[in-house]
Amino acid sequence: MDDHDADPERDGPTERFRIETRSVHAGQAPDPETGALMTPIFANSTYEQDAPGAHRGYEYSRTGNPTRTDLEANLADLENADFGRAFASGMASINTVCNLLEAGDHVVTGNDVYGGTHRLFTQVYEEYDLEFSFVDMTDLEAIEGAFREETELLWLETPTNPLMSIADIEGAAEIAHANDALCAIDNTFATPYLQRPLDLGADIVSHSLTKYLGGHSDVVGGALVTNDPDLDERFGFYQNSVGATPGPFESFLVLRGTKTLPVRMDRHCENAHRVAEFLDSHPDVDRVHYPGLDSHPGHDLAAEQMDDFGGMLSFELDATLEEAGEVVSATEVFTLAESLGGVESLIEQPAPMTHAAIPREERLAAGLSDALIRVSVGIEHADDLVADLEGAIESGLE
Ligand SMILES: *Cc1c(COP(=O)(O)O)cnc(C)c1O
């Protein structure tokens, strides 16, 4: 069943409005029966039918649920896409793209792709005879050189984690299409507020809704959006067949989160810029990785394909692994934790945390030093964030 257009009455405003307006309204309209402004949490597994087979758009909530439908329409709208599908997690949405592939197919992807994506590719799908090439995705020639006869998918992230490398989406999509492959972009770090990969030629955009789109560190979810009706139909088939769909409460939380995406992202970007400039001028900091700084190798490209530079950054302390550990443990406002994209500022040390699975030599070769620190800059007052980092560096390195 194609539930996507199950209730066109619920569709809110679309192309006529700017993204700040659409994030509040798209996919939603007051409930025609009650006038309820916010999409209700439709806590139903099943739905009444008027006659056998004659349902009113919904039969069973794995297949389709009205709260999820509104979220899917909202997300599609934000990405300027025709279709959206929500999943139980970002990994479930990435897995769904892998479901499109067959044994013997080859995938080109980035050598600094999200750790969970790397694990899914190498520890799940290589077992099913899919092959993966991991390349420097800031280098279009390296991407092109990795393509083979069997390549069906180019999977990229930009900006990447934790060095905030920038890939050329338009150039990458051209290479994929010249080789009859699909181009999928994981847009989790940028969000549709800052970057819309379908407009740049990508075929599929994937999200972890757990991060900025949810925005409050209180929900796990994923999504795929596309303009291709056949791909959308396949995604719907996998939603129903595999069953990794979000429940109505999760869908509601993300729908609530996307309403404030533009205001949150503006503050995330502004604060991250302040923090990056402070760190850049700090004598104990060797390097800051933030695409908003002129010194970042991806700065010009980011300025072109993004509307702002995002809320994520990392920096290298002139320190040992242990000293950097002291610094990330000494903050008061920044919480020592993995994940990102919530309203609260988080700090972490990739070497013993998010990137601990990578052998040290390999990690160093990839540019991830022992004293590298990653921060997800929240929406608190920038002065408090800067003072917190200043104090933590001082006490950690004393
Ligand atoms: C978190 C994340 C994922 C995985 O999403 P989950 O919701 O945790 O399953 C995928 N890609 C990126 C870039 C992420 O940051």
Side-chain angles (χ1 to χ4, degrees):
M1 151 191 160
D2 183 6
D3 50 90
H4 195 82
D5 299 318
D7 193 355
E9 252 185 74
R10 298 195 66 83
D11 282 359
T14 53
E15 298 97 65
R16 291 176 295 131
F17 297 97
R18 293 171 179 80
I19 194 164
E20 291 82 353
T21 308
R22 291 184 284 121
S23 48
V24 176
H25 296 285
Q28 304 148 78
D31 182 60
E33 216 160 287
T34 62
L37 218 60
M38 182 60 187
T39 297
I41 300 168
F42 282 90
N44 298 283
S45 58
T46 191
Y47 304 81
E48 183 190 31
Q49 306 203 2
D50 297 325
H55 57 77
R56 299 167 218 166
Y58 296 96
E59 293 165 278
Y60 188 64
S61 274
R62 165 162 39 73
T63 325
N65 172 284
T67 317
R68 193 176 98 205
T69 301
D70 283 11
L71 172 63
E72 290 173 334
N74 180 263
L75 296 172
D77 197 298
L78 296 184
E79 288 282 1
N80 293 341
D82 289 337
F83 309 102
R85 298 279 178 179
F87 294 87
S89 67
M91 290 319 304
S93 63
I94 299 169
N95 181 66
T96 301
V97 176
C98 292
N99 286 164
L100 298 171
L101 304 169
E102 290 173 7
D105 285 351
H106 174 248
V107 177
V108 176
T109 188
N111 58 11
D112 54 357
V113 79
Y114 174 70
T117 307
H118 188 272
R119 180 176 55 206
L120 180 72
F121 288 169
T122 57
Q123 294 184 44
V124 178
Y125 282 101
E126 279 184 356
E127 299 290 312
Y128 289 89
D129 284 334
L130 291 178
E131 288 192 46
F132 297 86
S133 295
F134 297 91
V135 304
D136 174 1
M137 45 103 258
T138 63
D139 179 353
L140 288 178
E141 277 172 28
I143 292 174
E144 190 158 31
F147 270 76
R148 306 177 193 163
E149 190 66 33
E150 308 78 38
T151 309
E152 295 291 335
L153 174 68
L154 173 61
W155 178 276
L156 295 180
E157 276 166 35
T158 180
T160 63
N161 178 25
L163 298 183
M164 310 303 136
S165 300
I166 306 293
D168 178 345
I169 297 173
E170 206 164 7
E174 268 170 30
I175 293 168
H177 296 155
N179 288 277
D180 293 322
L182 291 171
C183 174
I185 303 289
D186 184 331
N187 203 26
T188 300
F189 271 41
T191 83
Y193 183 61
L194 302 182
Q195 172 173 283
R196 289 153 307 278
L198 297 182
D199 291 349
L200 297 169
D203 303 290
I204 301 166
V205 170
S206 175
H207 276 289
S208 168
L209 304 175
T210 315
K211 314 295 168 53
Y212 288 106
L213 292 173
H216 297 74
S217 309
D218 56 5
V219 62
V220 172
L224 295 175
V225 302
T226 182
N227 285 320
D228 182 331
D230 296 331
L231 279 176
D232 177 63
E233 201 182 315
R234 297 277 297 276
F235 296 155
F237 173 78
Y238 291 122
Q239 278 184 318
N240 195 32
S241 305
V242 177
T245 50
F249 186 58
E250 285 73 19
S251 300
F252 169 85
L253 284 175
V254 180
L255 204 46
R256 178 176 155 130
T258 58
K259 287 179 189 293
T260 55
L261 180 73
V263 281
R264 285 187 286 109
M265 290 313 293
D266 281 344
R267 180 69 79 90
H268 282 298
C269 293
E270 195 185 310
N271 282 358
H273 216 109
R274 264 290 302 284
V275 168
E277 276 173 352
F278 158 72
L279 292 168
D280 204 33
S281 65
H282 197 289
D284 293 320
V285 174
D286 282 342
R287 243 180 116 181
V288 181
H289 304 277
Y290 183 61
L293 296 179
D294 290 341
S295 56
H296 190 280
H299 174 74
D300 291 346
L301 181 55
E304 217 173 288
Q305 76 182 10
M306 300 173 74
D307 295 322
D308 206 336
F309 302 101
M312 294 298 298
L313 62 91
S314 62
F315 61 100
E316 291 168 42
L317 279 174
D318 179 14
T320 63
L321 184 126
E322 290 72 24
E323 286 168 330
E326 295 286 324
V327 171
V328 299
S329 308
T331 53
E332 205 180 319
V333 182
F334 283 83
T335 304
L336 177 60
E338 296 185 5
S339 196
L340 60 111
V343 289
E344 54 287 286
S345 291
L346 304 181
I347 191 162
E348 71 112 1
Q349 190 179 6
M353 293 176 68
T354 45
H355 293 67
I358 308 175
R360 184 164 185 270
E361 289 313 309
E362 212 178 298
R363 174 167 56 72
L364 294 178
L368 310 188
S369 65
D370 287 339
L372 181 74
I373 292 174
R374 185 189 80 175
V375 296
S376 172
V377 182
I379 64 167
E380 302 95 336
H381 199 290
D383 291 349
D384 292 334
L385 299 179
V386 166
D388 194 36
L389 288 174
E390 190 167 25
I393 292 172
E394 196 181 317
S395 79
L397 299 187
E398 79 188 0

